[in-house]
């Protein structure tokens, strides 16, 4: 039985086997949660990311967590919201799906996500949380290793939305 947790806090403090970074295509760091993860992981993270040759939107790549509490950082790139006519919904779902599949591949038992694309990338929060719920419902039967999925919300709007969606949809 997979446990879903929704908390408000700082993703870089999580102790799950993997945390997911809402990165950009270069994987060379940035602001938001990307910047927070690089600061918390230390400079080795950037050195390793430089060798990954970037990451396409919706794809996911994995690195060690270095001085983070998490063993791994799974870097994924969500879509920039451009009005909803460039398959942003499909790309956001792929980012969550590929992050979960990569965590499975690395035998992670627990994973923590930020609210991908809902910050700088402008994806509407209420739409994003519904897509995340769809992904979780679809992929749950295929997860063999993961037994805890945490959603770490930084802002209150996302926190309330996630509480609503994931508390009432056990
Ligand atoms: N812990 C958890 N969540 C955080 C943290 C943190 N320390 N810092 C920010 N967030 C939240 C934001 O409040 C937002 O809800 O992460 C969510 C994603 O926002 P962004 O970090 O802006 O990521 P995104 O919208 O996917 O944009 C990605 O921003 O930082 C750059 O390099 C990144 O270019 C990329 C773009």
């Amino acid at each position: 039985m997979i446990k879903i947790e929704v908390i408000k806090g700082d993703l870089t403090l999580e102790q799950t086997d993997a945390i997911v970074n809402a990165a950009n295509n270069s994987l060379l760091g940035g602001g938001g949660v990307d910047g927070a993860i690089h600061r918390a992981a230390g400079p080795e993270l950037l050195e390793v990311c430089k060798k990954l040759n970037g990451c396409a939107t919706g794809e996911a790549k994995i690195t060690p967590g270095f001085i983070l509490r998490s063993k791994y950082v799974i870097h994924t790139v969500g879509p920039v919201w451009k009005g909803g006519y460039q398959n942003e919904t499909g790309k956001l779902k792929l980012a969550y799906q590929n992050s979960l599949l990569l965590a499975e591949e690395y035998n992670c038992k627990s994973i923590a996500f930020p609210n991908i694309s809902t910050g700088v990338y402008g994806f509407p929060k209420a739409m994003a949380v519904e897509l995340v719920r769809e992904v979780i419902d679809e992929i749950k039967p295929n997860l063999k290793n993961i037994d805890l999925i945490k959603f770490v919300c930084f802002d209150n709007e996302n926190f309330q939305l996630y509480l609503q969606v994931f508390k009432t949809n056990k």
Side-chain angles (χ1 to χ4, degrees), residues 130-148:
E130 288 300 335
L131 295 169
V132 174
R133 187 174 56 76
E134 281 173 30
V135 169
I136 299 302
D137 287 349
E138 288 158 6
I139 204 166
K140 253 195 305 201
N142 309 325
L143 298 180
K144 302 287 175 266
N145 302 319
I146 294 172
D147 54 29
L148 169 63

Side-chain angles (χ1 to χ4, degrees), residues 9-12 21-26 28-37 39 76-79 113-123 125 152-155 158:
D10 179 347
L11 185 67
T12 65
N21 181 19
N24 58 55
N25 297 119
S26 74
L28 299 179
V33 71
D34 193 6
I37 287 174
R39 281 192 297 278
T76 192
V77 181
F113 283 96
N115 311 127
I116 301 168
S117 280
T118 67
V120 166
Y121 281 2
F123 204 108
K125 296 179 170 67
V152 182
C153 305
F154 201 62
D155 58 271
N158 267 310

